[in-house]
Amino acid sequence: MSSPGGAPPQPPIVVTPPPPPRARSGFQRFTEIPEALFERKKSSGRLGALLAWSIVFADIGTSIYYVPGLLFRQLGGTTPSPAAAFVLATGIAFVFLSFKYVDVAARYPDGGGVVSVASDAFGPFIGCIGGMLICVDYFLTGAISSVSGFQYMAAELPGLANAIAPAACCALIVLGALNYIGIRESASLTAVLAVASLVVNLVVLVAVAVRLDGPHLDMVMQQFTAVRALKPWTILVGYGSSWLAFSGLESISQIAPALQDPREKTALRAMLLVIACILITSPLMTAFETALLDASHANPDQFVYELGSVFGGRALAIAVVITSSTLLLGASNTALIGCYHVFLALVRLGFLPQWLAERNLRFGTPHRAIAISVVVPVIVVLATQGQMELLGDMYSFGLLGAFTLTSVGIDRLRAQEKHRGPAFWIGLFTSALVIVAWAVNLVEKTKATMFGGSVTLVGFGIAYAVRKGWIGGHRSGFKEAEAAEHAAAELETATEVVTLEEASEMKSMYPSSTLVAVRAANLRLFQEALARARGAGDAAVYVIYVDEVPGLFFPPKAGPSREARQVLQAAVDYFKQAGFTAVPVWRMAHDAGASVAGAARKLGVEAVMVGTSQRNAVWHLLRGNVLKSLVRELPPTTRVWICN
C-alpha cells in the first residue's frame, strides 16, 4: 500500500516480547487462568488488604500531624490538656463507624461512598447532598494538608515560615497540573509513604517511652483525669472536634472498585489494620505532645517534629519532616482526585452539567472538574492565610455531615432489609454518636457551618436546576452515560461500542487474529491493519480504545469518553468503506498497556498493532509508557506491530 504522499511506506516494526525467564516456566499455564482472576493478580487496579490499608492510612494517618495541635489550642492551650482523652474516646466510636464503611465498600462495588448510600437510603437528591458534603470535606482536606505539609517543612527550612500560604497554593496548582496531564497515582508509592510515616511515628513514640520517668508519666496520666474539671458543653465541643483525628475514613468506600474479591473480606482486613495503627499512634502521640512539650515554646503546628526533636534528636526530627510533608502533600493529591471523581459521579447521575465531565482531547482528563477541585482549596488557603486554627474550624462541617449521612443511610438500608441483629443496634448507637458530634460543631464552629453550608446550598441549587433541565439539559447527558454503560452490540451503527465481554462472545461470528490499539484516528495504522487482516484471512478486525483513568479510583458507572467514541467511529467508518468489519471495543483502566494486553489474551489474537507515540519523556514519566507495559504483559506468542 502507498502512503498518502505517494512515498513507499516503511514496513511496520514487529516486536516479539522476550521469552519469560526459566524460573517462570509455568507462564503458559498461567495465561490460561480466567481473565478475571488474572486481572486480580496482575492488574494495578486490584488492591489487596495491605495496599488498601496503605491508601486509607495515608489519608487518616495525616491527621496526627495537625489535629493534636488544633485540639490543644481549642481546649485552652495549657497543660494538662484533655486532648488525648477526647481522641481516645472518639476512637471507640471510630471503630464502630469503620465497620459500617466496610459494609459500604461491600455493598457498592462501583464506589460512590456517601453518594451511593444516601441515594439508595433516602433518594437521589439526598445522595446529591451527600456528594456536596464530601466535596466540602475534600476541599478542606486539600487545603489543610498542603498547609500542614509546608508547616513541617518550615521546621527545618525557616525561610518558608512567612510563605506557607503561597507555597501551599503553588503545591495545589502543581498537583492540579499533574492530574490534568493524567499522572497515575501509585498504590505502591502510597504504601511506601504510609509505612515510612508509621515507622517514623512509632520510633518517636519509642524514643519518648524509653525516657519517660515518673513525673513525666504523671503528667501524661493527668490529661485523662483533666476532663472532670471541664463544663459539659466544653466536653461536647472537645468530643466533636476530636473527630478530625479520623478524617479520611471514607477512602475505603472510594477505592471499593479496585479491591480484590471477596471485596468485603479485603475491606475488613484493611480496616482492621487501619484501626490498629490509628489507635496505637494517635491517642498516645497526642498525650505525649500535649503533656511533655513546653507549651510556651513548642509550635502546635509542628508537634510531631517538636516531640521527635526533644526526645530523639536532629536525625529523627528530619525524618519526621520528610515523611510528614510527603504524606501530607500526597493526601492533598488524593483529596483532589476524590473530589473530581465525585463531580463526575454527580454528572452521570444528572445533577451537574455535562460540560463539567468533558475530557481534554490531548490528555483525556476531566480538566474542568480538576480545575474546580483545585481552585476552591486555593481560595480557602488564601482567605485564611494558611492559619491552621481557622482551617481546622472550617473542616468539620463536610466531614461529619458525610459521616452522618453514611451512618444513618446504612441503618435505614439494614432496617429495610430487616437485619435487626446486634450489628443493627450498634449501628444505631454509632449514628447517634456521629449526629451529636455534627450537631455540636454546627453550633460551635460557625465558620465551618457558614462555609460548608454555603457551598452545599449553592451546589445543591445548581444540581436541582440541572436535574430539572433548567441548566445544561441534564437529560441528554444522563441518557448518553446510560447508553454507554450498556454498550450496544450492533456493529452496523458506527457510534456504538462493545465491551470486551461482548466482543469475546462475538468471536465465533467475527473471528480475527488482529487487534488494533488506537489513541487517535491513524490512517497509516488502519491501512496496515487492513492489509494484515486480509492477508491472515480474518473475517474482521478488533479495534480497541482504552480510556485511561488517572489516580487510584474508578468513577462509578463511567461510559466512553467523547474522544473514545469519535476515534472508534472513525475506525469503523474506514474499515466499512474498505468492505471490512471492525469490532469497536472500549475499556477503562489505570494502565492502558496492561488493559490492551488483557484484551489480547481474552480475544486470543496473534498480533497487536499500535501506532508510534509522539509523546515526550515527561509524558512517559507521568503517564507511563504504554508500549513497554503492553510488551511486558502480553503472552510471548503474541506479536506487537508498530506502525510509523
Side-chain angles (χ1 to χ4, degrees):
M1 302 182 73
S2 61
S3 63
Q10 298 295 321
I13 302 171
V14 180
V15 179
T16 302
R22 292 183 180 180
R24 298 183 62 190
S25 59
F27 186 81
Q28 291 287 355
R29 291 193 302 275
F30 186 59
T31 58
E32 296 172 3
I33 295 175
E35 171 77 6
L37 181 58
F38 187 89
E39 290 292 337
R40 284 198 294 273
K41 290 180 177 291
K42 294 282 288 181
S43 173
S44 61
R46 290 293 183 175
L47 304 173
L50 287 175
L51 286 179
W53 161 82
S54 69
I55 294 168
V56 180
F57 180 77
D59 205 349
I60 298 182
T62 55
S63 302
I64 202 171
Y65 295 112
Y66 53 82
V67 170
L70 293 174
L71 289 174
F72 180 73
R73 282 193 179 112
Q74 190 167 40
L75 295 171
T78 59
T79 55
S81 171
F86 286 122
V87 171
L88 182 60
T90 309
I92 298 171
F94 155 74
V95 172
F96 295 147
L97 188 60
S98 296
F99 291 123
K100 278 193 165 181
Y101 270 93
V102 171
D103 191 358
V104 175
R107 284 174 180 266
Y108 300 99
D110 290 331
V114 64
V115 178
S116 299
V117 175
S119 296
D120 277 1
F122 306 110
F125 281 107
I126 303 300
C128 174
I129 292 175
M132 298 302 168
L133 289 171
I134 201 64
C135 283
V136 172
D137 179 34
Y138 283 137
F139 290 149
L140 268 300
T141 296
I144 201 167
S145 296
S146 59
V147 168
S148 184
F150 283 99
Q151 291 277 16
Y152 274 88
M153 287 186 197
E156 285 292 327
L157 301 172
L160 276 176
N162 296 321
I164 297 295
C169 291
C170 289
L172 288 167
I173 292 170
V174 169
L175 291 173
L178 292 176
N179 279 275
Y180 171 75
I181 294 172
I183 184 172
R184 290 199 305 272
E185 187 169 305
S186 168
S188 299
L189 176 59
T190 303
V192 171
L193 295 178
V195 170
S197 172
L198 178 61
V199 169
V200 171
N201 289 338
L202 289 175
V203 171
V204 171
L205 291 176
V206 171
V208 176
V210 297
R211 297 180 59 183
L212 205 62
D213 54 20
H216 283 154
L217 185 59
D218 289 340
M219 293 171 64
V220 171
M221 297 308 297
Q222 285 174 14
Q223 295 184 103
F224 296 95
T225 59
V227 179
R228 295 183 223 167
L230 300 178
K231 296 178 180 179
W233 181 250
T234 306
I235 293 175
L236 287 174
V237 170
Y239 164 72
S241 299
S242 60
W243 273 96
L244 293 182
F246 308 103
S247 63
L249 177 58
E250 68 281 351
S251 298
I252 190 67
S253 62
Q254 299 297 341
I255 63 173
L259 296 178
Q260 285 184 359
D261 292 326
R263 186 172 287 101
E264 183 174 14
K265 184 176 290 186
T266 302
L268 178 60
R269 289 173 176 172
M271 287 311 302
L272 288 174
L273 289 172
V274 170
I275 290 169
C277 293
I278 293 297
L279 293 185
I280 289 171
T281 57
S282 191
L284 200 55
M285 188 76 81
T286 304
F288 287 163
E289 289 167 350
T290 55
L292 305 179
L293 293 176
D294 186 348
S296 62
H297 293 91
N299 185 347
D301 297 330
Q302 302 167 350
F303 261 170
V304 181
Y305 170 83
E306 301 273 4
L307 199 66
S309 179
V310 171
F311 290 91
R314 180 75 186 282
L316 184 55
I318 293 175
V320 169
V321 169
I322 293 172
T323 54
S324 62
S325 57
T326 53
L327 195 66
L328 284 161
L329 291 177
S332 294
N333 189 53
T334 301
L336 192 161
I337 294 170
C339 187
Y340 76 72
H341 275 84
V342 173
F343 285 157
L344 298 182
L346 292 174
V347 168
R348 293 184 182 95
L349 291 172
F351 285 111
L352 291 178
Q354 187 68 31
W355 61 264
L356 190 63
E358 289 183 1
R359 294 179 179 269
N360 180 274
L361 292 178
R362 180 177 182 185
F363 299 110
T365 52
H367 52 289
R368 295 189 180 101
I370 291 171
I372 295 175
S373 301
V374 172
V375 168
V376 175
V378 166
I379 292 174
V380 170
V381 171
L382 292 176
T384 60
Q385 287 299 300
Q387 296 179 51
M388 292 296 290
E389 194 169 3
L390 285 175
L391 290 170
D393 282 347
M394 296 171 65
Y395 197 1
S396 58
F397 181 90
L399 172 70
L400 288 170
F403 280 176
T404 298
L405 273 186
T406 301
S407 185
V408 176
I410 288 295
D411 292 337
R412 181 174 174 81
L413 293 175
R414 288 173 177 174
Q416 292 173 344
E417 297 163 357
K418 302 188 183 306
H419 293 163
R420 301 295 177 89
F424 174 75
W425 299 107
I426 294 173
L428 288 180
F429 176 66
T430 305
S431 294
L433 294 174
V434 179
I435 290 171
V436 168
W438 194 28
V440 169
N441 278 277
L442 289 177
V443 176
E444 177 68 17
K445 298 186 177 181
T446 54
K447 293 184 180 68
T449 303
M450 291 174 61
F451 171 76
S454 299
V455 173
T456 303
L457 285 175
V458 170
F460 183 75
I462 294 172
Y464 187 83
V466 171
R467 188 76 170 183
K468 290 296 184 181
W470 303 338
I471 298 176
H474 86 278
R475 295 183 182 277
S476 61
F478 186 74
K479 290 180 179 178
E480 182 180 73
E482 186 178 1
E485 207 175 292
H486 291 87
E490 295 183 9
L491 294 174
E492 291 78 13
T493 306
T495 57
E496 293 176 340
V497 299
V498 297
T499 65
L500 178 60
E501 304 304 322
E502 290 168 332
S504 180
E505 293 171 358
M506 297 160 59
K507 283 171 59 176
S508 58
M509 297 172 56
Y510 302 97
S512 177
S513 63
T514 306
L515 174 66
V516 184
V518 293
R519 182 64 191 175
N522 186 329
L523 178 62
R524 177 61 191 282
L525 177 61
F526 294 163
Q527 291 172 340
E528 294 291 349
L530 179 63
R532 190 203 178 279
R534 282 176 169 165
D538 292 338
V541 63
Y542 298 114
V543 182
I544 186 170
Y545 186 104
V546 180
D547 269 323
E548 204 166 14
V549 180
L552 293 167
F553 313 135
F554 284 113
K557 302 180 181 178
S561 64
R562 181 179 63 180
E563 185 181 9
R565 296 192 299 272
Q566 290 174 345
V567 172
L568 288 174
Q569 180 177 350
V572 169
D573 285 345
Y574 171 82
F575 285 99
K576 189 175 182 178
Q577 290 174 5
F580 212 72
T581 299
V583 181
V585 182
W586 172 77
R587 298 198 80 183
M588 182 198 306
H590 292 313
D591 186 331
S595 183
V596 172
R601 290 193 302 272
K602 184 112 181 178
L603 297 172
V605 298
E606 297 175 0
V608 176
M609 304 188 71
V610 298
T612 53
S613 172
Q614 302 300 316
R615 307 302 188 188
N616 58 30
V618 175
W619 170 280
H620 291 309
L621 175 64
L622 298 177
R623 293 293 293 264
N625 192 313
V626 174
L627 183 59
K628 287 182 179 179
S629 178
L630 172 63
V631 173
R632 182 178 66 248
E633 298 284 346
L634 275 176
T637 55
T638 304
R639 293 183 297 172
V640 178
W641 290 52
I642 305 173
C643 298
N644 295 317

